[in-house]
Amino acid sequence: MASPDFVQHPYLDTDGDKLREECGIFGVIGARDAAAVTALGLHALQHRGQEAAGITSFDGTEFYSRRGIGHVAENFSTGEAMAELPGEMAAGHVRYSTTGGAGLRNVQPLYADLASGGFAIAHNGNISNAMHLRNDLVRKGAIFQSTSDTEVIIHLVATSRYPTMLDRFVDALRLVEGAYSLIVMTNDGMIACRDPLGIRPLVMGKIEETVVFASETVALDIVGAEFVREIEPGELVEVDFDGQIRSTRPFGKPASRPCIFEHVYFSRPDSISGGRSVYSVRKAIGEQLAIESPAEADLVIPVPDSGVPAAIGYAQQSGVPFELGIIRSHYVGRTFIQPSDGQRSSSVARKHNANRALVQGKRIILIDDSIVRGTTSLKIVQMMRDAGASEVHMRIASPPTMHSCFYGVDTPERSKLLAAQMDVEAMRAFIQADSLAFVSIDGLYRAVGEEERKAKCPQYCDACFSGDYPTRLTDLNERENPQLSLLGEKAA
Amino acid sequence: MASPDFVQHPYLDTDGDKLREECGIFGVIGARDAAAVTALGLHALQHRGQEAAGITSFDGTEFYSRRGIGHVAENFSTGEAMAELPGEMAAGHVRYSTTGGAGLRNVQPLYADLASGGFAIAHNGNISNAMHLRNDLVRKGAIFQSTSDTEVIIHLVATSRYPTMLDRFVDALRLVEGAYSLIVMTNDGMIACRDPLGIRPLVMGKIEETVVFASETVALDIVGAEFVREIEPGELVEVDFDGQIRSTRPFGKPASRPCIFEHVYFSRPDSISGGRSVYSVRKAIGEQLAIESPAEADLVIPVPDSGVPAAIGYAQQSGVPFELGIIRSHYVGRTFIQPSDGQRSSSVARKHNANRALVQGKRIILIDDSIVRGTTSLKIVQMMRDAGASEVHMRIASPPTMHSCFYGVDTPERSKLLAAQMDVEAMRAFIQADSLAFVSIDGLYRAVGEEERKAKCPQYCDACFSGDYPTRLTDLNERENPQLSLLGEKAA
Amino acid sequence: MASPDFVQHPYLDTDGDKLREECGIFGVIGARDAAAVTALGLHALQHRGQEAAGITSFDGTEFYSRRGIGHVAENFSTGEAMAELPGEMAAGHVRYSTTGGAGLRNVQPLYADLASGGFAIAHNGNISNAMHLRNDLVRKGAIFQSTSDTEVIIHLVATSRYPTMLDRFVDALRLVEGAYSLIVMTNDGMIACRDPLGIRPLVMGKIEETVVFASETVALDIVGAEFVREIEPGELVEVDFDGQIRSTRPFGKPASRPCIFEHVYFSRPDSISGGRSVYSVRKAIGEQLAIESPAEADLVIPVPDSGVPAAIGYAQQSGVPFELGIIRSHYVGRTFIQPSDGQRSSSVARKHNANRALVQGKRIILIDDSIVRGTTSLKIVQMMRDAGASEVHMRIASPPTMHSCFYGVDTPERSKLLAAQMDVEAMRAFIQADSLAFVSIDGLYRAVGEEERKAKCPQYCDACFSGDYPTRLTDLNERENPQLSLLGEKAA
Amino acid sequence: MASPDFVQHPYLDTDGDKLREECGIFGVIGARDAAAVTALGLHALQHRGQEAAGITSFDGTEFYSRRGIGHVAENFSTGEAMAELPGEMAAGHVRYSTTGGAGLRNVQPLYADLASGGFAIAHNGNISNAMHLRNDLVRKGAIFQSTSDTEVIIHLVATSRYPTMLDRFVDALRLVEGAYSLIVMTNDGMIACRDPLGIRPLVMGKIEETVVFASETVALDIVGAEFVREIEPGELVEVDFDGQIRSTRPFGKPASRPCIFEHVYFSRPDSISGGRSVYSVRKAIGEQLAIESPAEADLVIPVPDSGVPAAIGYAQQSGVPFELGIIRSHYVGRTFIQPSDGQRSSSVARKHNANRALVQGKRIILIDDSIVRGTTSLKIVQMMRDAGASEVHMRIASPPTMHSCFYGVDTPERSKLLAAQMDVEAMRAFIQADSLAFVSIDGLYRAVGEEERKAKCPQYCDACFSGDYPTRLTDLNERENPQLSLLGEKAA
């Protein structure tokens, strides 16, 4: 949610060669221990943000907040922690965030005492005109306490002239562009909403009469909630303390563009997204790959764990046996000090180890979900060769990642994306594989159940592959055209 | 290594329904940054003990120690930590241990200043006459600083009348019964040895002229060492600072009895144990299971992660497709406070989630490595049924676990072992599966390459399945026959 | 500075029977290591606030802040701490404050990024219409991040329509009533100012060309600065980065009313306040007491340490010898768990112990600076009797404390002030002394060099003794007249 | 208690120019909350050791220990801490000690499980043949867990051949030379004893039938105990759980030699030592000084706080008025980072500030308790001159400190003792005073009530002034005569 400028990733393993979802959100209203339910839900969303977590609750009178650096289990598993968060409504957030005391300012939910009452907000996504709006608000006397783009929404609500909290909130959202799935708490209840294109996910569930919102269905499973439906793009759902649910669509009904990368990598395989099992979509991508890019080989080997479903699909389609040729350690963590001599141990080696006895003398097909910088792929190919593989054929379960994301995903700048710098043959040479292939973009669309990508009006946001961004990118353009920006400021 | 009386497992997830290896050890001599090499090696052995870690180094003059509660990466990844551990020889230990300040006393390596010089020891195993020896030593004036059975060895060395450190050490081992793989450091170099039956594993590797010892070969891989060979049962290997290696067999050469459960569960699948790939042994167990206990079904589903290799073997042998029907969370940890109403979330549910879309309406074969208390199996079967599985056939990649281990594995007391309480049909009913089968003991021996188990002289220690303990169990017998014990004490 | 409503004192020893100054401030501009100078200066002001400390620095481009719960030495004595605070301008603050993470929000200096640049503020005093102003600002969309009254000033500056930072600041102060000594940092330099009545102190010093501001002269001594002069009541002093000093008086020149209790208790005896040595004023109070209220006795004994100077004055004036009849421990701290039987040990007993051998059988005159709740006096008198004193005559170096302070001093509510509940004879009976006397208010004024208190236009703020408050008390009146307050809100 | 070789003082302020008592001990038997009583008692002894504290309790069955770095209040003031220490018998210890985890090994009471039962010991003093005994024990197989000299006693008890715990303990003490006041706990009760010369203090008190032992009487005061008597030199007092008290004198009755420096500096002024009020002895030293070394001056000024009683005595004897010319900060602590320019602030300046207004233009007599390295005296004299004193006459309330202590006091090596390097006139020049005088050794003896020092058989241990050590110094001599030592070792 914070724009790439603000965020540092202190725990970021420099070999951590993946795009990363930046947030997961969860909310519940009408549960006796709303904070405990929220903690469990966030735990199931931990893969969406591992550096910080926060929960805010409301007991009918007061709002209570607790935030912490680290995992949900480290911060929200004790009775003491829960006792600080009383009430039947709560919302929470997991995120990547700066570490340390000051960094806690950016951990969500953000909260403010407004003249119209308390206002807490948890945000998954990124507002692409946040700097522009912020500069404007500061000029009018607003004082920001975080560097988060989300705080812009709170100040827009605080300074809106509309009478009701709901009108103020809609008034604020009208000024905002970009991607946002939001869970908001006010003195009147909970509001869940999704931006008009529905870029980031948000689902609704129920535990009997208790209403639950979450980024993914796995968070419904863990709290024992039934999946009701997705919040629709552009929809705003209000739930009050009597359990009344009201849905509105304040922005009309544009065509939706959900993020296709949720299927490729972000979502957990046991989630249901857009009506489809993520696991089965990934298997289908593997099948597409096997059809599009077969290889003569002895073994299909996944890069664990994200490559496993596509590898199973590839193996079933091709008839080449699926085997665990790389063993993943469960105990990855900090970077170790390297011994000054002898062979180095990269963080790849601390995470993955070749199953030498299996790989020795074999032709292998390696399946991974994506290539970002290419550094990990290079090391994995090398590890397979060191273990005695006679041929290494790399197959990637997504098209080449060529463009940055401005909608809440942590991507390196374009110059560091391997696919933005070279063609597939050059990439193959770079990672030193015997062959390299990516699933085609139409193959990817087929795996999610479409016949093909509709070029004029794509069914998904696939900007990271296509460069086709579905919204304006105001902050980016003003940075790149500073004079325009200054003119804009004069005009304001 | 500590006898069951002393040890508590504060982090023990009460649903953690597995036998647990209690230690991993690692040593290196002749490396410029011996402690950094050791930290990496221990990290690769983290699965053998996750509650505490320690490293002791020697710089030619002084011994240095550092210990910590938690993972290796939490305690030994910084430059500051390494700066406390200078020298070209180091040894380390990971273990399950009591938490807190006092608990650190039991974290190994243990160290003592003896009249003949410094003596540091890291131990994997358990001494089955430790209490007996300890009582005797205390009566003679020895003061123990830990509750660890390993400290007995140090006091025996300290009070031995032999002139050299080596003679004193062998003199001490002669009094000790049970299981021990040991790495010892003295002012003269490193000693690695394994008990006469070789119950616990120990391997030797080399990085050029640098000698490395470790519990498993994966720790050689991570430090870039070549696997040389296993330390043989009853062998004692000395390495001095000139790199001279000397092997002796002070206890003759009895038939060996290595722990067969290392193949079933403890060792990492990418380790080589007893000359065999652990991964391929586990696949072979799965194949045996498919031959011995087939089932009509649509899917073969592993209980992740330990059931995966056997499930691949079962699927390949049976032709039933291998699928991920259970998704494992990477973020397990503490127990959460449970919400007071709504459906509960067990720790099983926090670790595992059903892949509902896949399982729905299917007949499934579930593959797990073992059943200890049965509580997890019950929950997993239930989870599969809740997700819509029409039939659940459980297949277990080991024989029924019916007896406690006294050789360094954390087992519940016998009364809590499901297989000690009921027969297979009753177990099936308890876990509510449609069918249940274990691999036969001969099937297990076939999977490790034997034709069958030789009843008179079994090739492995399989006491947890057979009750056939290969050593005397002095402490146990004295506890169970207190009068004998008192008589013994009077006689002393 | 925070109004009494907001503040809790977690470390407050319940026997801590003293009025407490709530803050000390320090600033320096033009020093190579401004933060290190500030840390030393704050250390010398530690007696003015022991629960939290903060420093903000400016390096010509950016502002840097660091805050901590606890003493200055615990938070600002390391090189790492100083490295976080680069630049040649810095200001700091010590205070009483809530503990814990959230409490850090209230630790000063407060900082905000305003449209006109950075703005940092450290405040000693209390704004008596803070709630009124805050409600008004929130209605207009301001979002507060602390519960501190000082934040009101920042929002008033942020929303002022004046063009320059200085004009905005003066515009803000015009709306503020109460007591404030302020040190402000902007991108242009440092501003020090004192409210029109000069209730709280603020002095200026120089280290060569470097300008220093501080609450007391002891902070100049410790950094090696020469005392230049006091900031005058209502004066505003600007210092820019060229060392240019400009003084203005934006509020005209009303008669000043500095706090007389600074002489009685708050300031350190080695400070110079209002042109007088605090030590010599306290001795003079003791002399007045000896003249006004002599007693037949063998020893003059101070209640350490604050009673010592007055006791020396009393002894010299009366000829009764000065002796240490009470020994103060240097290691006071938290409250201990009390043993369940035997004699109890109050926190008074942990801080003070009778010098029994000295006191035994003697008639003593006890000198203390003030009586607040009377609980400590009662225990001290009892302690002297237990040690064998034959008579105990209590003499107090201030008039009876009968009214709460609303200008930045932590006073109990009136109902807990002993002197607000009873006359002197009843107080004597309550504390069980043989006689009790307070210095007269005119005696106190004589000790500070006046002939007498001018009733129509008192030279000092002595509201805690006289109830004669020199400013309006808007928040208090609105609380006590809620209907008026509501009317006021309607009108706004 | 630890010999000077082992100990480092991490918190040692390099300007901390004092000899330092190294320990305080406290024990209680028969109190319902023995640990809580002990915590209070240790708090009153905090001045005897500020770096670490420990308490061991016994509940009739088990011994419980808790240790911590830092003050008693930081480690033993909470209910949780007390809950870890159940039982009606407890003993505790405050000490100077190395910091950090490993350092905790040396924090007392030390505890061991011996064949004859539990044995806990708290020691004030130093064993001057500890290294010699330790080498011998290690040769016989003993394994030491600390570097503390006290542990020698435990091993001697453990290896004694006598049948009862008491006999073993006496047997052990017979081998020990040096200074020791000990509080020991066994399964049978508490033993308090003092070395044959009674070098370090130990007193007994009672709270009704509950027996209390402590280093000083102030610890009796704080727990509400009545002072019964001192433990006599060479006396051993046993108390059992029925409250039976038994006194023995296992070493005969040599002439006693208590440490005279307890009167000069170590003990608190409100303690009674050797039947005399420490405060009145210090005043008497001041009076002796005034008689022996008068000076023409305007003010008598103590170096706070230890110089205050002697200054009061000097002032009363001489008629020169007593005034606070130096103000001491209550908030001393760590060393601060120094600003790189401007005047430096030494740690002396952070602790002490001149009362300039008082001192300006005056001839002053400064009273301090002792001169160790002389660095503080130099700075204090300089501070007085900077504040405008026209003459500075330094008077010292002890004879010149010329020799190291080997009996449990932290002294710099001789080469750093100013008085070991130069005569009084040279010392005067070094500290830049106008005159300098020390009390004579006979003056000191007169102040403690003797007519003079009996040269043949001094009534006190005054080795730090006279070099006349009352015991053999085996370890020191073996270090200084290594060949003798080797011979000794061969002979052993």
Side-chain angles (χ1 to χ4, degrees), chain D residues 95-171:
Chain D
R95 66 164 294 170
Y96 291 108
S97 164
T98 57
T99 190
L104 282 174
R105 289 181 310 154
N106 283 331
V107 178
Q108 299 195 4
L110 298 182
Y111 174 77
D113 260 321
L114 305 186
S116 40
F119 184 87
I121 184 166
H123 173 203
N124 177 203
N126 187 58
I127 298 173
S128 56
N129 66 338
M131 280 311 300
H132 182 87
L133 293 170
R134 182 182 176 118
N135 290 339
D136 201 44
L137 284 157
V138 167
R139 261 196 303 273
K140 290 172 182 156
I143 296 175
F144 278 71
Q145 50 185 301
S146 77
T147 52
S148 153
D149 61 333
T150 308
E151 193 180 348
V152 164
I153 298 175
I154 302 182
H155 283 278
L156 291 173
V157 172
T159 55
S160 170
R161 300 300 178 105
Y162 280 87
T164 72
M165 186 66 99
L166 184 70
D167 289 341
R168 287 162 170 251
F169 180 51
V170 171
D171 184 37

Side-chain angles (χ1 to χ4, degrees), chain A residues 93-153:
Chain A
H93 193 264
V94 289
R95 67 163 293 171
Y96 291 109
S97 163
T98 56
T99 191
L104 280 175
R105 288 182 310 155
N106 282 329
V107 178
Q108 299 196 5
L110 298 182
Y111 174 77
D113 261 321
L114 306 186
S116 39
F119 184 88
I121 185 166
H123 173 202
N124 176 204
N126 186 59
I127 298 173
S128 56
N129 65 337
M131 281 310 301
H132 182 88
L133 293 170
R134 183 183 175 118
N135 290 339
D136 201 45
L137 284 158
V138 168
R139 261 196 303 273
K140 290 173 181 157
I143 296 174
F144 278 71
Q145 51 184 302
S146 78
T147 53
S148 154
D149 61 334
T150 308
E151 193 180 350
V152 164
I153 298 176

